[in-house]
Amino acid sequence: MARLRRKACVALFLFTLFIFGTMMGLRTLKPSDGFSDLAPGLELLPMIGGKMDRRSVARDATASPGQARPAGSNTKAVLSNSGPEGSVFYDVHIFYYIWYGNPHMDGKYIHWDHILVPHWDPKIASSYPRGRHMPPEDIGSSFYPELNPYSSRDPDVLESHMEQIGASAAGVLVVSWYPPGLADDNGEPAEDLVPAVLDAAYRHNLKVAFHIQPYRGRNDQSVHENIKYIIDRYGDHGAFYKFTTSTGKSLPLFYIYDSYLTPPESWAEFLTPTGSHSVRGSAYDSIFIALIVEERHKHDILAGGFDGMYTYFASNGFSFGSSHQNWKAIKAFCDGNNLLFIPSVGPGYIDTSIRPWNNHNTRNRVNGRYYETALQAALNVRPEMVTITSFNEWHEGTQIERAMPKKTVTRVYLDYQPHGPDHYLELTRRWAEQFNKEKEQWLM
């Protein structure tokens, strides 16, 4: 009897362990309730969670006559390029980073040696390690790239990246962009690399759009100058992406990251027809897409004169904008105000290699199920376009680029097993094709 009782106890323990593991895995497929925590990627803005200026914009969801969009400014997408197997789709955009470096090409490691970002609360920060990573064995990522810690300047790397993006069927890579001479706090200026990216993209039938980053001193005036610079310098390149509106206009498209840092009144000077330095109707007129993080941002985006909004973050549940459950309401708001809604989906999220205190925003990949859940949520709202976060943001673990198993004396990196290194490229293609099949039915 004693032996039977022991066996029963062991069986019960193993069953309980199995149920717990299953629940933890499934938890990652649902939104978290911890919306007020720091948004991933916003470590320099600790005020966003509720301490930041909460000036509300008291406007109805529908544009007032003074906010009405000018005639002929309809930005709804027409059916995008679609074709036989092996083609790419220009309504699937993927965020792309050119900030990586290594000693062979750049004389030193850049970004792979990312610092461990301290928490803004000194009490919490004191509980976590400080310092920086030491490549090549120890890099600022929870995954390890199949190409090893590469340089974005390496022509062979660029060629491999374009091949991988083409394999994923994403037709537009959205390059993280800083003006000449500027970079993020952990990087080096890389604007001079843009021509090589355009040339490589062109060879693979891909297009390039620009993701304007929040450099120091960015405002509506400086962004206007940035747009002029980009269009004058790259606008005639065969890989320069232009969006075709339902009225037949072909216009450049720009994503403005952290657009909420500039007040809507300032954006309106640039983006509305009556603004003091309006871009509308000029040779530099474009489609401008703002970032929605908090719910109130949708009103600011409308008032600022933007043409649409995107959500960027791959951590479902950390903010209003990135929560799949809110996309239907955001899409309805956009439809009612003639704005594009471009949801952003990602394969997972883990940034604890650079923000060790941010474990609560981790979203496990669950062998691709998290990604497919996000992709289905995006298709459910029938968007004109979808963005993928990301091709190669390794720090935040959102990459679909090929990764490989890696184990060192001090670290064991995550990988895509039991699937191969192409798993997320293949999933992206499958869903891109499904998106375009469904889109044909929506537009019939």
Side-chain angles (χ1 to χ4, degrees):
M1 286 295 292
R3 187 178 301 160
L4 284 174
R5 278 198 298 270
R6 280 198 301 273
K7 286 184 177 180
C9 288
V10 169
L12 181 61
F13 173 74
L14 291 174
F15 178 73
T16 304
L17 196 63
F18 171 76
I19 293 297
F20 177 75
T22 302
M23 293 301 292
M24 288 300 289
L26 291 175
R27 185 181 71 85
T28 65
L29 300 178
K30 298 181 180 297
S32 161
D33 292 329
F35 284 18
S36 63
D37 293 314
L38 178 72
L42 300 182
E43 73 279 1
L44 299 180
L45 299 170
M47 310 302 279
I48 194 170
K51 304 171 189 172
M52 196 167 79
D53 180 11
R54 285 265 181 188
R55 292 173 298 170
S56 61
V57 180
R59 292 182 176 86
D60 293 332
T62 305
S64 66
Q67 296 169 315
R69 309 195 72 75
S73 69
N74 191 327
T75 58
K76 293 297 162 62
V78 297
L79 182 63
S80 70
N81 297 37
S82 58
E85 186 176 351
S87 63
V88 296
F89 301 97
Y90 297 121
D91 50 9
V92 179
H93 298 187
I94 189 163
F95 295 109
Y96 183 68
Y97 292 86
I98 56 173
W99 57 22
Y100 299 106
N102 64 21
H104 177 66
M105 296 296 297
D106 308 272
K108 61 182 178 179
Y109 284 106
I110 304 172
H111 261 272
W112 301 114
D113 65 343
H114 203 288
I115 65 165
L116 295 169
V117 179
H119 195 278
W120 60 90
D121 183 333
K123 291 181 180 178
I124 297 176
S126 64
S127 302
Y128 292 94
R130 298 288 296 271
R132 69 185 317 122
H133 291 278
M134 298 182 66
E137 297 296 285
D138 170 36
I139 65 171
S141 172
S142 294
F143 294 85
Y144 204 86
E146 187 181 68
L147 294 175
N148 292 302
Y150 55 74
S151 170
S152 297
R153 296 183 179 278
D154 187 332
D156 292 335
V157 167
L158 265 182
E159 204 60 26
S160 174
H161 283 178
M162 299 306 129
E163 178 269 320
Q164 291 183 56
I165 292 171
S168 79
V172 180
L173 52 133
V174 185
V175 175
S176 180
W177 188 87
Y178 289 87
L182 298 182
D184 68 284
D185 292 341
N186 294 282
E188 301 282 342
E191 205 283 330
D192 63 309
L193 185 52
V194 171
V197 174
L198 284 161
D199 290 345
Y202 185 76
R203 289 192 295 272
H204 290 263
N205 199 32
L206 302 172
K207 303 293 183 183
V208 177
F210 291 80
H211 199 192
I212 310 298
Q213 297 296 310
Y215 53 84
R216 191 180 302 277
R218 190 186 75 176
N219 58 31
D220 56 295
Q221 294 272 3
S222 70
V223 171
H224 198 161
E225 293 306 311
N226 298 156
I227 299 308
K228 289 179 178 178
Y229 174 90
I230 291 170
I231 292 176
D232 285 346
R233 197 171 183 89
Y234 309 122
D236 292 331
H237 196 286
F240 186 82
Y241 176 67
K242 292 185 179 178
F243 176 80
T244 303
T245 71
S246 60
T247 59
K249 288 185 178 179
S250 183
L251 298 173
L253 184 145
F254 295 94
Y255 292 89
I256 312 296
Y257 187 69
D258 282 1
S259 48
Y260 58 82
L261 294 176
T262 298
E265 297 80 9
S266 297
W267 285 125
E269 298 294 341
F270 169 44
L271 297 176
T272 62
T274 57
S276 61
H277 60 102
S278 176
V279 73
R280 300 307 185 187
S282 75
Y284 302 101
D285 199 358
S286 303
I287 305 298
F288 296 93
I289 308 298
L291 178 66
I292 177 170
V293 178
E294 300 180 19
E295 183 173 11
R296 67 187 178 92
H297 290 158
K298 65 187 183 184
H299 301 287
D300 293 349
I301 289 165
L302 179 64
F306 284 93
D307 300 290
M309 57 191 79
Y310 74 118
T311 61
Y312 185 76
F313 300 107
S315 184
N316 178 27
F318 96 89
S319 75
F320 177 84
S322 75
S323 298
H324 305 164
Q325 65 186 15
N326 296 325
W327 288 355
K328 185 177 179 181
I330 299 172
K331 179 64 159 57
F333 177 86
C334 289
D335 286 348
N337 291 284
N338 195 28
L339 298 172
L340 290 164
F341 175 52
I342 309 178
S344 304
V345 301
Y349 188 93
I350 180 167
D351 67 355
T352 51
S353 67
I354 63 166
R355 303 181 190 102
W357 38 266
N358 199 33
N359 187 59
H360 55 278
N361 279 316
T362 294
R363 299 293 180 267
N364 297 324
R365 294 191 174 214
V366 202
N367 293 327
R369 292 202 296 278
Y370 179 89
Y371 194 27
E372 295 198 87
T373 300
L375 287 158
Q376 185 62 65
L379 267 60
N380 285 346
V381 300
R382 297 189 172 190
E384 290 81 0
M385 292 179 283
V386 172
T387 46
I388 307 296
T389 306
S390 64
F391 178 73
N392 64 338
E393 219 297 8
W394 289 89
H395 306 308
E396 296 181 345
T398 63
Q399 81 291 335
I400 67 168
E401 182 184 355
R402 294 177 187 135
M404 67 177 182
K406 174 82 170 176
K407 186 176 183 180
T408 72
V409 174
T410 57
R411 294 189 64 178
V412 178
Y413 289 91
L414 300 175
D415 55 56
Y416 304 161
Q417 292 184 337
H419 302 286
D422 292 305
H423 181 54
Y424 293 95
L425 303 175
E426 292 165 355
L427 282 179
T428 305
R429 171 166 287 280
R430 188 188 312 162
W431 281 87
E433 291 171 350
Q434 180 65 26
F435 175 39
N436 276 269
K437 283 179 185 174
E438 292 189 15
K439 199 168 173 183
E440 289 180 18
Q441 296 173 353
W442 305 341
L443 296 174
M444 283 177 64

